[in-house]
Amino acid sequence: MIVPNTNVVDFPPPDPSGKAVANDDALEGTRPVGAGFAPQLAMRLRAWEDGTRFYPGALAACALCLGLVSSQAPAAGVIGAGAAGALFVLHKTLKAALVAAVLSAGFYIIPEARFSAAYWTVLAMVCAAGFFPRSLVLVLLRAPRWTWLVALLVSMASFCCVLLLKGPLATAAVFSGSLSAAFLGAGLARHLAMVDARLLAWGEDGLVPVTRDLLLGRVTAGMLHDLAQPLNVISMANGNMRYIVEQLDISDESRKQLLDRVARISSHTEAAAFILSLFRWFGRDGDKERSTLNVRSALDCAVAATKSNVRHHGVVVELEGNALEHVLPEHHGALEMMAVAALLSAFGSFIGPNNEKRRGKILLKAAMSPAHVVVTVQCIEEDGAPAPARKLDHATLWLVEQVAIEAGGDFRSMLRSSQPTRFVIRLGRDDI
């Protein structure tokens, strides 16, 4: 039996009247008139279902409305403080400033607000949410777990006291309850942001670049062995070629040209092998003797791994400090990963808004403290001024923070334009 090898599909000819012809006669004429509207409606509902982008606005509205009524209902101010704490974690400075401005204007509209402790407390919490340094987020949210239970009980007891008591006791309950509620609101917002990372990544490049980089890293890890084999073959063939060239009966000038080409192939092959080694042992501690795994080697590996991300030669990376020779066998890979994340963001500080290239220096300074090894990443422009701060995306920042916590340390991103320090890395010392 001969089976025809053809992939041609005969489609029915179009109807001269312009009407669509169904491929299935049993379904012909059964499509409802409004069927085309359903997919569009489903897409619109799906877009509104993902309300991630509206969380900060909703929290700001809650803080504003609860703050405005707190002069008449002090218990509402306690809940408004919780919304202010959530705004603090979500880094919504502009929204917090707008809420604070409206609440400040409320003193002229609501006379009772001038003498309301709850109103003043909500205003103070919203101002703190907008202008307190972001480094406090890590400090507040790394408190022991029992503090969350205490904060919950204190806020509950204060809320009840605000409802039942009058006078100075009610005022004290407003203050204590607002502080506890702000702490709980910050913790809940942080947990929500980690469950749905789009909450912190929305409005920037989003999670697509981060996901692409993570998946690309996993794909690349599977290709390392396959890439190493061709390099080995090229290296062996190049060595054989050198031997053959040396044995050929040719002129000295021709032999020199061939040997120069062989040497160039060898140097490029070694460079490719070094890059593969950086990929293979990135974040791991098994490629060297433990006695050589010190702070300097981790920072050197991080600089070499990120060297290709510098698109111009105007940025110099320097290492200094009295902790470079400190042996770090247990957390060598963690320090390398944290340094790579810091450097990738630091290099972006030397790219202007119009992609203009700036010259400058990145200084990795390692120092010893009584309990930690502290590595600061400083970005300095050519004229000695601090380079503009470049924010690290929230998803990567959270992942690197978890790496630091696992290593018993800390990773902080600094966004202060008045000083050159952009990142601070702390690791616990092994020699104490």
Side-chain angles (χ1 to χ4, degrees), residues 20-37:
V21 179
N23 291 330
D24 193 347
D25 295 336
L27 299 178
E28 185 175 2
T30 61
R31 184 178 181 182
V33 177
F37 178 72

Side-chain angles (χ1 to χ4, degrees), residues 119-329:
Y119 196 98
W120 281 99
T121 303
V122 174
L123 178 59
M125 291 295 175
V126 173
C127 292
F131 303 105
F132 267 26
R134 301 303 173 189
S135 58
L136 291 178
V137 175
L138 299 179
V139 178
L140 293 176
L141 299 181
R142 288 180 181 174
R145 293 184 177 181
W146 59 267
T147 58
W148 299 101
L149 179 61
V150 172
L152 180 61
L153 294 176
V154 170
S155 61
M156 180 269 298
S158 301
F159 189 82
C160 295
C161 291
V162 171
L163 294 176
L164 299 176
L165 301 178
K166 301 292 183 180
L169 292 179
T171 302
V174 167
F175 288 130
S176 61
S178 297
L179 291 173
S180 301
F183 183 68
L184 290 174
L188 291 175
R190 182 72 169 178
H191 177 72
L192 180 61
M194 294 307 105
V195 172
D196 188 354
R198 294 170 297 176
L199 187 59
L200 290 180
W202 202 279
E204 301 170 1
D205 294 333
L207 286 179
V208 174
V210 179
T211 305
R212 182 180 64 244
D213 293 342
L214 292 176
L215 294 178
L216 182 61
R218 296 189 63 179
V219 171
T220 305
M223 297 179 179
L224 295 180
H225 179 74
D226 296 335
L227 290 174
Q229 294 302 319
L231 283 179
N232 291 333
V233 174
I234 293 173
S235 180
M236 290 186 295
N238 193 51
N240 295 333
M241 187 181 299
R242 173 181 289 276
Y243 176 78
I244 293 174
V245 170
E246 292 175 349
Q247 302 300 322
L248 289 177
D249 187 12
I250 55 178
S251 63
D252 293 339
E253 182 65 23
S254 298
R255 179 178 286 106
K256 181 178 182 302
Q257 292 180 0
L258 291 175
L259 289 178
D260 289 342
R261 289 180 172 85
V262 170
R264 180 178 300 179
I265 295 174
S266 177
S267 62
H268 284 280
T269 304
E270 292 177 357
F274 176 72
I275 295 175
L276 285 180
S277 177
L278 291 176
F279 275 116
R280 180 172 295 179
W281 299 110
F282 174 67
R284 302 179 182 179
D285 305 332
D287 61 331
K288 301 177 181 179
E289 294 292 335
R290 293 175 65 86
S291 59
T292 62
L293 298 178
N294 53 21
V295 175
R296 182 187 296 275
S297 65
L299 297 180
D300 284 338
C301 290
V303 173
T306 57
K307 184 179 180 180
S308 300
N309 286 273
V310 183
R311 302 303 179 186
H312 58 97
H313 301 286
V315 179
V316 180
V317 182
E318 297 181 359
L319 307 181
E320 69 175 35
N322 58 358
L324 292 176
E325 307 304 327
H326 178 72
V327 179
L328 205 68

Side-chain angles (χ1 to χ4, degrees), residues 78-94:
V78 178
I79 306 176
L87 282 178
F88 175 61
V89 171
L90 297 183
H91 301 180
K92 300 302 177 182
T93 303
L94 179 59

